[in-house]
Amino acid sequence: MHKPALVAVDPRVDPSECQTMIEVRQGVDALDRALVALMAERQRYMDAAARIKPDRDAVHDEARIEDVVSKVLAAAKAHHLSPDIAEPVWRTLIDRCIAHEFGVYDRTRS
């Protein structure tokens, strides 16, 4: 017998419609879970980069870092995200991703 597919219910209320802190926290918690999934996917791209880059010196690329930050700031502006939040968050994310990539590079080349 065929079982109906489970449909995920989005517990979020639009922020402008929130009336309680419970609604705010449910929205934040749902977004945090989504962000973790996206960051895990980003990490898998760093794993691929570590596999593809020809040498360890290619792992840290200052020009690429500035390019990513520039693109993020443009996207942040379009989405009304404060650059005071976006820039330090992405610079930290990039820093940690580079550290991860160095680790993967070193482990796979040992």
Side-chain angles (χ1 to χ4, degrees):
M1 175 159 202
H2 179 68
K3 291 183 180 180
L6 294 176
V7 177
V9 176
D10 189 344
R12 293 180 293 158
V13 174
D14 186 272
S16 66
E17 301 295 322
C18 287
Q19 299 296 315
T20 68
M21 284 307 299
I22 290 171
E23 292 171 332
V24 169
R25 288 175 180 149
Q26 285 175 335
V28 169
D29 291 349
L31 288 170
D32 285 347
R33 288 187 296 276
L35 287 168
V36 166
L38 289 170
M39 289 172 66
E41 183 176 1
R42 191 181 199 285
Q43 178 181 303
R44 290 190 296 276
Y45 281 105
M46 297 304 96
D47 294 343
R51 175 176 44 81
I52 293 167
K53 288 183 179 173
D55 57 68
R56 199 171 193 279
D57 290 339
V59 173
H60 186 276
D61 181 344
E62 196 63 39
R64 173 64 180 151
I65 292 168
E66 294 310 314
D67 180 56
V68 169
V69 171
S70 175
K71 290 174 184 173
V72 163
L73 289 174
K77 184 175 183 178
H79 289 278
H80 308 289
L81 173 61
S82 169
D84 292 337
I85 294 173
E87 185 166 359
V89 167
W90 257 268
R91 287 195 184 276
T92 299
L93 176 61
I94 291 165
D95 177 70
R96 297 294 72 222
C97 284
I98 290 169
H100 173 80
E101 190 178 333
F102 271 124
V104 172
Y105 186 93
D106 291 345
R107 280 192 305 278
T108 59
R109 302 296 198 291
S110 300

